Structures are given as C-alpha cells and as structure tokens.
Amino acid sequence: PADVEALVSGRLGGQPEPELVERISERAGGNPFLTEELTAAGGRGDAMPDHLRELLLARLIPLGEASRGILRAAAAGGRRVDDGLLAAALELDEPTVQGALRQAVANGLLVRSDGERPGLGGFVFRHTLLRDAIEDELFPNERARLHAAYARALEARSDATTAAVHPAEPAAPPALAAAPGRRPPPTHP
C-alpha cells in the first residue's frame, strides 16, 4: 500500500487518511490506473466514475446475452462465485452455468479459485471494481429477486447437508419401543 499511498497523495496533493488508502487499494486491486481513477472520482474511493464503469462493462460485450445474464447474477452473489449455488439460484442446469463461467474466464473476467476449504472451489471476479460495475447495473427489484433466489438456494443446500449428516433414525422395533426405561430416539431439527 505504500505505492498506493504515494499515488493517492500525489493525486490529492496531500497526505491521505490510512482508511482511504486501504479502501482505494482494495477496490483497485493494485492497479495504478484504477487507483488514480478512484482517487480522481472525489477522493473518497467510493464513487466510480461513469467512464470507468463504461470501460469495465465493455469487457462483457464479447459474451453472449445468456452469459452476461449469468454473470450479472454472479455479481449479485458477491466476489466469489460458487457455480453449483449459482445454478441452483438461477434454476439452471450446472453445465449451462459452467459454460457461461468458462466464457467469463476465457475473457479475463473471472479466475478460478480453490476456495478457503477443500471442496469449495469456484471463481472470483478478476477485479472487485468489475463486480461492482456489473452489480450496479442491476435494477433494485432484480437485485432483490436474485438475493432471494440465493437465500432459497442456500437454505436448500443447508437442508440437504443436514439430511446427509443426520439421516432419519430408523424406527425402533415395537418390543424395544415399549420397553420400560428406554429413552426415546433422538430427534434432529
């Protein structure tokens, strides 16, 4: 962040607050051009200039409409994309979603991620600003609908995991069920 601090202070003409440097550094992902553009956008690091948004969104042009739609839904889900969860949220088959994600990887929009835990791979947006620009294009109702779809998909995944970890207890034979002092079988939520 020392180089980011130097760029930001040079652009602002004074010493920036450490929080501003951190915010701009995180959003720019180490890219000097993006660092300067975010700084020039008002010096707070929050706003994205229209010309920068348009530049980032132009990267989606080579994708087909279906792939762009899937990428918009992925952006609504956060920086990291789990293809199985995305497919469930969109109620699409995984090969369709994976095809769109492959296009996004081939065009440098997403990169493969191994995830924080084994078995939790997926994809991440190459730049946080790219994800932000895509998500900002969503209409409020569209964003709410996608968030609700993600919530349903996460709930279904949680229910499936719970069922796999706590399978239904087999019923006790009638003679054992009526035995004095026998504890009832455990119940799982």
Side-chain angles (χ1 to χ4, degrees), residues 93-148:
D93 61 280
E94 286 192 34
T96 298
V97 171
Q98 290 166 348
L101 296 176
R102 278 190 187 89
Q103 276 192 334
V105 168
N107 283 282
L109 305 170
L110 297 175
V111 294
R112 292 182 66 89
S113 166
D114 293 332
E116 298 99 34
R117 297 182 304 202
L120 285 182
F123 304 87
V124 293
F125 282 87
R126 182 170 296 278
H127 294 288
T128 301
L129 284 177
L130 175 62
R131 190 203 73 80
D132 292 350
I134 295 170
E135 186 185 25
D136 286 349
E137 291 295 301
L138 296 173
F139 293 122
N141 287 341
E142 183 181 18
R143 183 179 293 111
R145 180 184 53 78
L146 287 167
H147 287 175

Side-chain angles (χ1 to χ4, degrees), residues 68-84:
R68 285 194 300 268
I70 290 171
L71 204 55
R72 282 192 300 272
R79 188 165 191 267
R80 188 182 164 287
V81 179
D82 175 308
D83 52 327

